[in-house]
Amino acid sequence: LLLMVASVAMASMEEQPPFPPLRRRAARAVACSSALILSFLLFAHSGVSPNAIRGAWSVPRGAYTFMPGGSGSCKSSKSRASSLKLTTPSQHFLRGRSATSRGGNTQRSLSPRDVAPQGKKEDDEDEADPITRFFTNIFGKDARDDPEPLGLKRATVEEFPDLWPPTQELGEALAEDPPEVKAFRPYLKQTILEKQPLLLAYDADRDGWSNKAFRTAMDGSYAAVLVGETDSGTIFGAYNPAGWLGYGDFRECISAFLFTWVDGDSSKEAVKLPKIGGPSMAVLDQAGMGPQWGPDGLRVNLDTKEAISRLGSYYQRMPGGGTTMFQKEDGNRASVRSIKIYVARELSDSAKNYEPKFTQWS
């Protein structure tokens, strides 16, 4: 029951359209609480020995380790030294079964069965590490070699590319791509738009230089790529795998990235700047505001024809440590003369067949 509650809540948060902020936070709290309780129950049921959990408090690369089990009273430096033991990386991960008492302190020592002969596979469940035992109790012994344990298909980068961080490999342009799309198409490799014919969904010169015009054209869209140009000639862009809805949501997208041709020469290879620090706050989808990647990665204000870029906090810095996508004379703030946004010409099958869950109706 807990697994079902957690799964429904987490799946609902990832679907489109997402919860409004308050309901999203409530669903996240339910999912996290259910998952924590379920993990505790499964871990308790796995029968992991307390000694395997308690272990030695050690640093993996051969460091002095404090061995628990002393009297807890204050000791002299000489008696404290007796409670220290030098461990090696291999000893750190082996679980000793016997203990000897020295000066009131319990020290663990290795038993012969802790060190298995090379090439011999340990089939005894009692000798498996706690994580392996925990996983085996849930999915069974053969689950590690099964691509679909209990019917749970593993997500692959080919089927779900936007679940992976951006790649620095370059793709190929499509034959039908217009020149402006061919310039940035290679940087869409390992994204949902990699092989999708693209449509110009928003053009500031055509649809209006205002945040309202942008919202009118783009709210309700799916994955999109923005391309802009500053007055000084820099060509910059950004990939948004989640699209826009205008719910005031901070979208989590590990595959989001920025790119730029600082000197404006798109015949050269662009600098691709992936999301850093995890997927959180990759795209800020705030009602009435322009497109924004991170709190400070890239923010475009269409009302004032201005773009702001400050790298390093949420998006990777430029080669050499620069903190802006623009030219040095522009600094972190540049005037823009062109903004275009492209989306897939046709919806994917999953988007066409999408039906909101009962928890998403408002």
Side-chain angles (χ1 to χ4, degrees), residues 90 93-97 110-130 132-133 136 141-142 144-145:
S90 60
F93 294 102
L94 293 174
R95 295 182 297 145
R97 296 292 183 176
L110 299 177
S111 63
R113 68 174 179 171
D114 284 321
V115 184
Q118 277 192 337
K120 180 180 178 181
K121 183 177 179 180
E122 293 184 0
D123 295 326
D124 185 5
E125 272 192 37
D126 190 55
E127 292 299 321
D129 61 86
T132 301
R133 293 178 62 188
T136 302
K141 292 183 179 180
D142 300 327
R144 284 177 291 176
D145 301 323

Side-chain angles (χ1 to χ4, degrees), residues 63-352:
Y64 281 106
T65 305
F66 176 74
M67 311 305 296
S71 62
S73 60
C74 296
K75 306 175 183 180
S76 65
S77 58
K78 182 176 180 180
S79 63
R80 282 199 301 269
S82 66
S83 65
L84 296 175
K85 178 181 179 181
L86 185 64
T87 61
T88 65
S90 60
Q91 291 173 330
H92 174 71
F93 294 102
L94 293 174
R95 295 182 297 145
R97 296 292 183 176
S98 61
T100 59
S101 180
R102 298 179 181 177
N105 296 312
T106 300
Q107 290 186 337
R108 297 167 59 246
S109 61
L110 299 177
S111 63
R113 68 174 179 171
D114 284 321
V115 184
Q118 277 192 337
K120 180 180 178 181
K121 183 177 179 180
E122 293 184 0
D123 295 326
D124 185 5
E125 272 192 37
D126 190 55
E127 292 299 321
D129 61 86
I131 300 300
T132 301
R133 293 178 62 188
F134 179 74
F135 183 85
T136 302
N137 283 343
I138 300 176
F139 296 104
K141 292 183 179 180
D142 300 327
R144 284 177 291 176
D145 301 323
D146 187 356
E148 297 185 20
L150 297 180
L152 301 175
K153 188 175 182 180
R154 292 189 172 102
T156 64
V157 67
E158 292 78 16
E159 292 180 298
F160 304 96
D162 285 327
L163 295 181
W164 269 259
T167 178
Q168 292 294 340
E169 297 180 10
L170 299 180
E172 297 180 357
L174 304 183
E176 59 192 86
D177 285 342
E180 60 269 20
V181 174
K182 286 185 178 180
F184 65 80
R185 169 74 74 175
Y187 306 98
L188 296 180
K189 184 176 177 61
Q190 195 178 296
T191 71
I192 198 173
L193 297 181
E194 178 181 358
K195 298 180 180 179
Q196 291 271 7
L198 299 182
L199 171 72
L200 181 59
Y202 172 77
D203 184 345
D205 291 331
R206 180 191 68 190
D207 302 312
W209 279 92
S210 69
N211 294 332
K212 182 178 180 181
F214 159 74
R215 287 292 169 182
T216 300
M218 299 308 302
D219 278 355
S221 65
Y222 291 89
V225 56
L226 175 147
V227 180
E229 185 175 359
T230 67
D231 287 344
S232 57
T234 296
I235 299 176
F236 64 94
Y239 173 64
N240 175 6
W244 291 275
L245 290 168
Y247 285 175
D249 197 11
F250 295 170
R251 317 301 289 273
E252 297 183 356
C253 315
I254 191 62
S255 59
F257 62 86
L258 312 176
F259 59 93
T260 179
W261 290 276
V262 178
D263 60 2
D265 186 357
S266 59
S267 64
K268 300 178 182 178
E269 185 173 337
V271 177
K272 190 173 182 178
L273 308 168
K275 177 73 173 68
I276 59 175
S280 62
M281 301 183 74
V283 176
L284 273 60
D285 185 13
Q286 302 186 77
M289 304 295 289
Q292 184 172 350
W293 280 259
D296 54 3
L298 174 64
R299 185 167 74 250
V300 179
N301 188 336
L302 294 160
D303 291 334
T304 60
K305 294 187 177 183
E306 188 177 59
I308 300 174
S309 172
R310 185 172 287 104
L311 305 172
S313 299
Y314 290 86
Y315 285 87
Q316 183 175 294
R317 294 191 177 196
M318 295 285 290
T323 61
T324 178
M325 301 169 62
F326 312 132
Q327 296 186 16
K328 290 184 178 180
E329 54 267 28
D330 290 327
N332 298 107
R333 189 183 301 263
S335 299
V336 295
R337 62 189 180 196
S338 174
I339 292 290
K340 297 179 180 180
I341 300 177
Y342 296 85
V343 298
R345 186 177 299 169
E346 295 184 2
L347 295 177
S348 63
D349 292 338
S350 60
K352 290 179 181 178

Side-chain angles (χ1 to χ4, degrees), residues 5-35 242 245 247 249-253 354 356-360:
V5 171
S7 300
V8 170
M10 294 176 69
S12 299
M13 289 189 295
E14 297 301 326
E15 293 288 352
Q16 304 286 348
F19 286 128
L22 182 59
R23 294 178 59 192
R24 183 180 178 88
R25 286 194 291 270
R28 182 173 294 171
V30 171
C32 292
S33 301
S34 302
L245 290 168
Y247 285 175
D249 197 11
F250 295 170
R251 317 301 289 273
E252 297 183 356
C253 315
Y354 171 75
K357 298 181 181 296
F358 73 94
T359 53
Q360 291 179 304

